[in-house]
Amino acid sequence: MGPRILIVEDEEPLTLLLRYNLEAEGYEVDSVSRGDEAEIRLREQLPDIVLLDWMLPGLSGIELCRRIRVRPETERLPVIMLTARGEEGDRIRGLSTGADDYIVKPFSVPELLARVRALLRRTKPGHVATLLRAGDMELDRETHRVRRAGTELHLGPTEFRLLEFLMQSPGRVFSREHLLNAVWGHDVYIDERTVDVHVGRLRKAINLPQLPDPIRTVRGAGYSFDETFARAEATASAGR
Amino acid sequence: MGPRILIVEDEEPLTLLLRYNLEAEGYEVDSVSRGDEAEIRLREQLPDIVLLDWMLPGLSGIELCRRIRVRPETERLPVIMLTARGEEGDRIRGLSTGADDYIVKPFSVPELLARVRALLRRTKPGHVATLLRAGDMELDRETHRVRRAGTELHLGPTEFRLLEFLMQSPGRVFSREHLLNAVWGHDVYIDERTVDVHVGRLRKAINLPQLPDPIRTVRGAGYSFDETFARAEATASAGR
DNA sequence: TTTGGGGTGTCATTTAATTGTCATCCAACT
DNA sequence: AGTTGGATGACAATTAAATGACACCCCAAA
């Protein structure tokens, strides 16, 4: 199974939102609502990463983080701190308690996912693929670069995430709604047709002359990254 | 048997409509009309998914959903909320009570079925077949592709859903009325003869030369996906 | 602070595919 | 042969997607 994540957070709805999204990305999620519970849970089983609320009943997030750093077994356990705006005081202060990263609430879901991925990549290379390849396309999450048949392409941030998301599951068709959730974030109130426009822009950006369009429109359903294309050898130049 | 679904809904006709359609898809359906009854039923037997009306006598859907999330046994039970337009307030609000998805009434039956399938796929992979195969035909719900003896076919959205529905129960004969409900959705005021036309189009799309017609017309009754065909080996090319 | 860029979301417009209905033809059943 | 129900081709209306234009907004450079 995917990497394991422990959420330590006392706001029930937020926990659910996180769980929902993380599980959708293939993580195994466990959650507790109190700091002291978390400490116990951490003795039972070590997750690959911890999402830790700053303010917690039982044992504050800051204190818990310190304790995590003290125990040898958890010394290097990746921790992302969740803080409400205003609580942080300073970025430095957050990191100085020993967290590896921290996010200010309210945050967008895609952003959180990106941070989790980034942190896992840093700490457990191999657990997370940094390079997505499909056909003659390459997308590097780390360097944020996209290449088609060798040539470097320029994509805006949204197009990048859109392509990244589609390439993650080649062949699978996603509805506009699904794409909005996954690429833009849950709470946005954006017109579904906007997805069309971005797909259009993405296409314009990645379709060099002579090359086939890797993005498939499925009328009445949504869009997908063409899996036939994905499976095809990148024979464009090196006619192997 | 198929996955079990518990419907918690006080509008009798809606319950029947749901039951009828879900059973046609191979689910085992159980239903109660009050929130408190539902709680009891959930102690007896856990379904694989719950359809929960927002407004309920006895115990509101929202409250019931909260309670479901609190009990460890049902903590991760997939819940789809049914709300009347206007009641929802906000998508977030719906999801923040802990529902995994929510649908605004009035909804189309095919849409509901799609959501149920999607949720089951997320939570109980393996329980739901994403690929329907019958004879030399393949229909992939995930990629929205249809193949006959290896060749990719092009179907319009309606033909796709029609084929999908028929392939779900090979051999079973469906009346035009039933097909209209299942494929187009209830409330539609469409002429029954229109089904003929679509079956015709579907046939044209899937019947490559030399190959037999998998769709059987039952005079006076309706149409069905031929079960003899379905059981036949896909011997088309590899004459095994 | 002002001034350019990107980069975004929305709209109106254009283009294309899909749909529902009809009239007509055909086959099966009596 | 007559009747009934199904198949089919044509057609117009509808709906969905692609496209181009535009107004913002945010940020960085001047």
Side-chain angles (χ1 to χ4, degrees):
Chain A
M1 244 323 243
R4 266 195 310 278
I5 300 190
L6 176 64
I7 301 175
V8 192
E9 165 65 61
D10 62 322
E11 290 171 51
E12 179 81 4
L14 180 57
T15 306
L16 284 165
L17 179 73
L18 291 172
R19 176 188 283 279
Y20 177 82
N21 283 284
L22 290 166
E23 284 180 347
E25 286 258 318
Y27 298 104
E28 237 173 283
V29 178
D30 192 7
S31 60
V32 300
S33 58
R34 301 174 47 89
D36 39 6
E37 274 181 71
E39 224 187 353
I40 296 165
R41 194 68 58 100
L42 284 173
R43 277 177 219 282
E44 293 162 3
Q45 190 187 40
L46 281 191
D48 294 295
I49 198 168
V50 179
L51 296 186
L52 186 51
D53 192 18
W54 185 268
M55 294 290 286
L56 278 177
L59 180 63
S60 89
I62 312 165
E63 180 52 26
L64 178 54
C65 189
R66 285 219 181 81
R67 296 202 192 177
I68 285 175
R69 288 294 174 251
V70 168
R71 279 181 63 214
E73 304 91 300
T74 55
E75 189 183 25
R76 317 188 52 174
L77 182 62
V79 173
I80 295 181
M81 207 63 126
L82 308 176
T83 80
R85 179 166 304 290
E87 279 177 13
E88 355 89 280
D90 198 2
R91 179 184 181 84
I92 308 303
R93 183 146 158 254
L95 294 176
S96 74
T97 63
D100 296 275
D101 197 356
Y102 91 144
I103 302 192
V104 177
K105 295 192 264 191
F107 48 82
S108 85
V109 171
E111 158 151 23
L112 177 88
L113 295 178
R115 302 257 194 145
V116 167
R117 255 198 314 270
L119 187 51
L120 276 176
R121 197 157 52 226
R122 262 200 346 256
T123 57
K124 314 241 170 183
H127 250 188
V128 185
T130 174
L131 189 68
L132 288 177
R133 210 192 306 258
D136 61 1
M137 295 224 36
E138 279 185 4
L139 180 150
D140 190 323
R141 290 167 156 148
E142 199 141 44
T143 62
H144 257 246
R145 277 177 206 284
V146 180
R147 272 183 300 280
R148 174 94 195 250
T151 23
E152 167 107 27
L153 308 174
H154 176 81
L155 303 192
T158 309
E159 282 108 62
F160 183 88
R161 289 200 309 275
L162 178 57
L163 178 61
E164 177 187 11
F165 183 76
L166 290 174
M167 280 181 78
Q168 218 142 51
S169 319
R172 181 148 167 210
V173 176
F174 297 99
S175 68
R176 289 159 225 280
E177 188 197 348
H178 194 141
L179 289 172
L180 278 176
N181 284 341
V183 175
W184 277 258
H186 254 108
D187 35 7
V188 292
Y189 74 114
I190 289 180
D191 193 286
E192 296 214 335
R193 290 282 137 217
T194 300
V195 175
D196 297 30
V197 177
H198 272 87
V199 167
R201 288 173 180 156
L202 178 56
R203 279 188 169 131
K204 193 174 297 181
I206 65 180
N207 285 334
L208 310 174
Q210 308 295 326
L211 298 176
D213 184 357
I215 294 182
R216 185 165 69 108
T217 301
V218 181
R219 188 167 240 263
Y223 298 96
S224 84
F225 192 91
D226 194 308
E227 83 278 19
T228 5
F229 172 93
R231 271 199 278 278
E233 284 285 328
T235 45
S237 45
R240 174 203 174 252
Chain B
M1 244 324 244
R4 267 195 309 279
I5 300 190
L6 175 64
I7 301 175
V8 191
E9 165 66 60
D10 61 322
E11 293 170 49
E12 180 80 4
L14 180 55
T15 306
L16 284 169
L17 178 75
L18 291 173
R19 176 188 283 280
Y20 179 76
N21 282 284
L22 289 166
E23 285 179 346
E25 288 253 321
Y27 298 104
E28 238 173 282
V29 178
D30 192 7
S31 61
V32 299
S33 57
R34 301 174 47 90
D36 38 7
E37 275 181 72
E39 224 186 355
I40 295 165
R41 193 67 58 99
L42 283 173
R43 276 178 219 281
E44 293 161 3
Q45 189 188 40
L46 281 190
D48 294 295
I49 197 167
V50 178
L51 296 186
L52 186 51
D53 191 18
W54 184 269
M55 293 292 285
L56 278 176
L59 180 63
S60 89
I62 311 165
E63 180 53 27
L64 179 54
C65 187
R66 288 223 179 78
R67 297 202 191 177
I68 285 175
R69 288 293 176 251
V70 168
R71 279 181 63 213
E73 304 90 301
T74 55
E75 188 185 26
R76 316 188 53 172
L77 182 62
V79 172
I80 295 181
M81 209 60 127
L82 309 176
T83 80
R85 179 166 303 292
E87 279 177 14
E88 355 92 277
D90 199 2
R91 177 183 183 86
I92 305 304
R93 184 144 158 256
L95 293 175
S96 74
T97 63
D100 296 277
D101 197 354
Y102 91 147
I103 302 192
V104 177
K105 295 193 262 188
F107 47 82
S108 83
V109 171
E111 158 151 23
L112 177 88
L113 296 178
R115 302 258 192 148
V116 168
R117 254 197 317 270
L119 188 51
L120 277 176
R121 198 159 50 226
R122 267 212 326 268
T123 57
K124 317 240 168 178
H127 248 186
V128 188
T130 174
L131 188 69
L132 290 177
R133 212 192 306 258
D136 61 1
M137 294 224 38
E138 279 186 2
L139 180 150
D140 189 323
R141 294 169 154 142
E142 196 152 272
T143 62
H144 264 255
R145 284 186 202 272
V146 180
R147 272 182 300 278
R148 174 93 195 252
T151 20
E152 164 111 29
L153 308 173
H154 177 82
L155 305 191
T158 309
E159 282 109 63
F160 184 89
R161 289 199 308 275
L162 178 57
L163 177 61
E164 177 186 11
F165 183 77
L166 290 175
M167 279 181 78
Q168 212 136 62
S169 318
R172 183 155 162 201
V173 179
F174 297 99
S175 69
R176 292 169 172 72
E177 188 198 347
H178 192 144
L179 288 173
L180 277 176
N181 283 339
V183 175
W184 277 257
H186 58 100
D187 61 1
V188 289
Y189 70 115
I190 288 180
D191 193 287
E192 295 214 335
R193 289 282 134 214
T194 300
V195 174
D196 298 29
V197 177
H198 271 89
V199 167
R201 286 174 181 153
L202 177 55
R203 280 185 168 135
K204 190 175 300 181
I206 66 180
N207 286 334
L208 309 173
Q210 308 294 326
L211 298 176
D213 183 359
I215 294 181
R216 191 163 61 102
T217 301
V218 182
R219 198 183 168 86
Y223 298 95
S224 84
F225 192 91
D226 194 305
E227 85 277 26
T228 355
F229 173 93
R231 270 199 279 278
E233 284 285 329
T235 44
S237 47
R240 173 191 175 264

